[in-house]
């Protein structure tokens, strides 16, 4: 039987999971740990650090506060993209990507959210979108928004240039024109998307 302090920690983490709105496994990923490791914390087999508990509390609250205000978090954005891609709805996946990006921008720049720590919902590590290109683009967009707002970007957004170039099929532009119209900060990562499509979200399904 765990001791009283361990039981308090188990209860604390259980409440953090519930507040976050994520499954235990998804919340573990959001915190940067494995589902199996989280399970040892939740049973008392392993004691988490004070840092981990503080982070769990902060990110759970940020995820809940963002959801309450109808703002997409990083995990939610990735999950919506994954659902759309799985249904063969690439245009909707694109819309979810840009909507999530726009919500992050609001969290970072809108004075109405200045007193709230909503950006923790984007510190939370997202699950995979099911497509390595979309995973990389989501990270790149998030990193760019944090940099533009002069905030420290979460570690998961700091990706290296892709080994293999990624360029979604474009219905109107040739591959050469797509590359030419891609902003430098994306081109450096070997991701090629016209800047206009990042603004308007009009890229249709191929």
């Amino acid at each position: 039987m765990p001791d009283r302090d361990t039981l308090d920690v188990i209860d604390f983490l259980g409440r953090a999971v519930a507040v976050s709105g994520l499954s235990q496994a998804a919340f573990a990923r959001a915190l940067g740990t494995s589902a199996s490791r989280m399970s040892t914390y939740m049973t008392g087999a392993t004691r988490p650090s004070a840092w981990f508990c503080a982070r769990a509390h902060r990110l759970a609250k940020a995820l809940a506060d963002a959801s309450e205000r109808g703002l997409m978090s990083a995990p939610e954005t990735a999950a919506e993209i994954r659902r759309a891609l799985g249904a063969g709805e690439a245009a909707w996946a694109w819309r979810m990507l840009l909507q999530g990006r726009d919500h992050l921008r609001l969290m970072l720049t809108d004075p109405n959210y200045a007193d709230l720590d909503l950006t923790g919902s984007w510190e939370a590590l997202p699950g995979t979108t099911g497509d390595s290109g979309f995973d990389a683009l989501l990270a790149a967009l998030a990193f760019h928004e944090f940099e533009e707002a002069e905030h420290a970007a979460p570690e998961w957004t700091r990706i290296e240039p892709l080994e293999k170039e990624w360029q979604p099929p474009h219905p109107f532009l040739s591959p050469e024109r797509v590359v030419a119209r891609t902003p430098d900060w994306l081109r450096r990562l070997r991701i090629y998307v016209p800047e206009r499509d990042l603004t308007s979200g009009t890229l249709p399904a191929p």
Side-chain angles (χ1 to χ4, degrees), residues 119-184:
T119 57
S121 67
W122 279 79
E123 286 182 51
L125 274 70
T128 180
T129 65
D131 183 289
S132 59
F134 270 97
D135 287 345
L137 183 55
L138 176 60
L141 289 175
F143 181 84
H144 185 67
E145 291 303 318
F146 275 96
E147 280 229 313
E148 287 290 293
E150 298 183 345
H151 284 242
E155 193 61 35
W156 71 267
T157 68
R158 300 174 181 274
I159 62 171
E160 295 295 323
L162 302 183
E163 290 185 12
K164 183 179 180 181
E165 295 179 349
W166 186 69
Q167 181 181 146
H170 200 287
F172 309 124
L173 300 177
S174 67
E176 294 74 22
R177 287 193 174 186
V178 168
V179 171
R181 299 183 186 190
T182 296
D184 289 341

Side-chain angles (χ1 to χ4, degrees), residues 46-125:
T46 305
R47 293 178 178 177
S49 67
W51 177 89
F52 183 88
C53 290
R55 181 173 173 80
H57 172 74
R58 184 171 64 82
L59 296 198
K61 185 177 186 306
L63 287 163
D65 287 347
S67 178
E68 183 181 335
R69 289 160 179 78
L71 297 172
M72 296 174 73
S73 64
E76 182 184 0
T77 301
E80 289 297 330
I81 294 170
R82 185 182 182 89
R83 276 192 281 270
L85 292 176
E89 298 175 353
W92 187 255
W94 192 261
R95 180 174 176 177
M96 291 297 95
L97 172 75
L98 296 183
Q99 182 170 298
R101 186 278 313 273
D102 290 345
H103 287 187
L104 171 59
R105 184 176 295 170
L106 283 174
M107 295 175 193
L108 288 165
T109 63
D110 193 320
N112 292 318
Y113 302 127
D115 295 332
L116 299 169
D117 186 18
L118 298 179
T119 57
S121 67
W122 279 79
E123 286 182 51
L125 274 70

